Each structure stands twice: as structure tokens, then as C-alpha cells.
Amino acid sequence: MLRFSPALGALALTGCYTPTVDFMPRVVLVDLTGNFASTPEGAASSGSNDVDVLGLSNDDQVAPAPRIDLNSGRWDWTVDWIGSEFDGRGIVQNEFTIDGVTFETGASVQSDAELGFTRALVTYDFMADPEINLGLGLGASIYQFDAQIVDVVDGDISDTDQLGILPYLAGRAGWRVGDFDVQALVTYLDVEITDIDARYLDADAFARWTFRGRDEGWTGAVVAGYRWIDLDANYEEEPQNENLDWELRYQGPYMGLSFGF
């Protein structure tokens, strides 16, 4: 059991609580779907390209998704990460220009991509009942999408590294009955500023069975859940002055363990 310290007490902000920490090593069977378009500034888009047709989502991927939860009184913090790699050969549906390289309609391409999300947030529980959690708060996600696209005939190569920070509102709900509990964590952003139009929805829900309680010194549990990430973004990429339009869905079921102190 963690002992109370001034540093963790400051995190609690109010009251004098003994903090608890839960670490969840999880693996997710993720599926990537969606489309994107990329055109030079001022040019009309010829249409979007399905990531599956480009060869980026032919097979589900097993992705690590560790998560850490810290509770101190009515304050709950969560930090987690999920990421995986996709690659395959596909066809360009509609001409696009990315990283200064143009890929024409019908071109055969080899695509390799890495996609990852790091999330950190805090919520405040408005319920006095220790078995029920209904909280609201704030947080931010860092997303990274690195891709290399190669025209297998002409040999043209495009590399793009997309990195962004998404601040958002967060909501948390949970219910415990004996050794079982269910939790849901939802984060949401919808913003339009200057040349950026972005919408981000991230939902994570799980059920957990605890086979070892905190009164035994540490907790042990089995976890099963589902993660769903929806990212739509339209913005201008510098210095190439290209207009990018992404619509990505990153989702799948997961299983794992939960250890608490």
C-alpha cells in the first residue's frame, strides 16, 4: 500500500487521502480504417483514398496498450499509450500529393505506417458513493502518424511525419459490485481554428474481475474491454503548403491484467 506523501497530497488538492495506483498491461486487436486526401495549396482535391485500398489495413494488428490510473480521493488521473505498425501493397484511388511527391490515380504503391496515441487526463468524481464514479475533467493526447509511400514502378518515395497535440474534455463513469467493476472513459474534442479543423473522439470501456483485494497488500485482476478512436482532421502542412484531410478509425477489443497498490 502506498503511503501518503506531501507530493501526492498536493495532487489530491483537497482532503487527506491515501492514493492508489493501478497498472494495466493490455494488448489490443486493432483495426485501422478510414481515408485521406492531400493536395497542393490552391488545387482542387480529386477525391480521397481508402487506407485499406492503399494496403495499410489488410490485417488486424496486436498492439500493446499499457495504462496507469492514479486515484486520490475524488481525483482520478489516467495515462496510457497505444500504437502499432501497418504495411502492405495497394492502389492509388485518387491522385494525391504528399511531402512534395505526387502519386497518380491507378499507381501501385507500397505503404508502411506507424500510428500511436499517448493520452493523459484528470477527472473529478462528483459522487460521494465509493462504488460509483461519475467524473468530468480535462486532458490531452499526442498523436503520431509516420508513413512512407513508394511507387513500385517509378520508385518515387514520400515520407510524412504527422505529430499533433489534442486537448480535450474528459468524462469517466464506473460502477463496482463486489469483485466486479465496469468503467468507461471518453474524451472529446471538436475545434476549428484558422486553417485547422479537427474532431477527436476516444472511448475506452472495460469490465474487470478482481481476484486479489487491496486488503491483501496489492490487487490482481483480469480485464477485458474495447478501445475506439475516431480522428478527423483537415489542416495545411508546412513547408510544402499541402492541404491534408484525414479520417481515421482505430479500434478493437483488448484483454489484459490489472495490478494495484
Side-chain angles (χ1 to χ4, degrees):
M1 180 75 70
L2 291 178
R3 298 301 180 184
F4 185 79
S5 68
L8 291 175
L11 289 175
L13 300 183
T14 58
C16 183
Y17 301 102
T18 300
T20 61
V21 177
D22 289 290
F23 173 62
M24 283 189 282
R26 306 174 296 177
V27 290
V28 185
L29 184 63
V30 295
D31 177 48
L32 175 66
T33 59
N35 57 77
F36 85 96
S38 180
T39 56
E41 184 180 21
S45 173
S46 60
S48 60
N49 288 267
D50 191 297
V51 295
D52 184 54
V53 178
L54 282 175
L56 287 177
S57 57
N58 295 330
D59 298 306
D60 291 341
Q61 302 286 319
V62 177
R67 169 172 164 169
I68 299 176
D69 290 297
L70 169 66
N71 170 264
S72 184
R74 292 192 176 184
W75 293 94
D76 294 287
W77 287 261
T78 296
V79 177
D80 62 14
W81 176 82
I82 184 172
S84 57
E85 300 180 5
F86 298 88
D87 64 86
R89 180 170 294 191
I91 301 295
V92 175
Q93 293 173 286
N94 294 284
E95 179 181 299
F96 64 90
T97 299
I98 190 165
D99 194 35
V101 179
T102 298
F103 295 89
E104 298 181 353
T105 301
S108 178
V109 293
Q110 174 69 38
S111 302
D112 297 273
E114 296 181 10
L115 179 63
F117 293 87
T118 301
R119 179 172 61 172
L121 60 99
V122 58
T123 59
Y124 178 80
D125 183 10
F126 293 94
M127 301 296 292
D129 189 337
E131 307 302 319
I132 301 175
N133 186 319
L134 288 175
L136 293 175
L138 300 170
S141 281
I142 299 175
Y143 74 88
Q144 183 170 8
F145 183 75
D146 300 338
Q148 181 183 82
I149 303 175
V150 180
D151 189 316
V152 298
V153 176
D154 296 337
D156 293 334
I157 300 176
S158 172
D159 287 287
T160 180
D161 300 324
Q162 307 296 321
L163 180 68
I165 299 178
L166 302 167
Y168 49 67
L169 298 175
R172 190 191 308 264
W175 182 41
R176 173 178 291 277
V177 178
D179 295 332
F180 293 90
D181 72 292
V182 292
Q183 291 190 30
L185 186 60
V186 178
T187 58
Y188 181 73
L189 163 74
D190 192 345
V191 63
E192 184 174 353
I193 304 175
T194 315
D195 295 329
I196 300 175
D197 185 1
R199 183 175 66 85
Y200 172 76
L201 176 63
D202 189 336
D204 184 351
F206 67 81
R208 176 168 52 186
W209 171 60
T210 301
F211 56 82
R212 180 184 172 95
R214 248 178 249 281
D215 55 352
E216 299 178 79
W218 58 273
T219 66
V222 177
V223 176
Y226 198 90
R227 182 78 177 268
W228 187 66
I229 300 173
D230 187 330
L231 172 62
D232 296 350
N234 182 284
Y235 58 95
E236 186 174 300
E237 176 71 3
E238 300 290 348
Q240 294 85 4
N241 294 325
E242 296 165 351
N243 185 269
L244 273 69
D245 189 358
W246 296 93
E247 296 182 7
L248 297 179
R249 313 292 178 267
Y250 190 60
Q251 60 187 316
Y254 65 78
M255 294 191 66
L257 299 173
S258 176
F259 302 101
F261 304 92

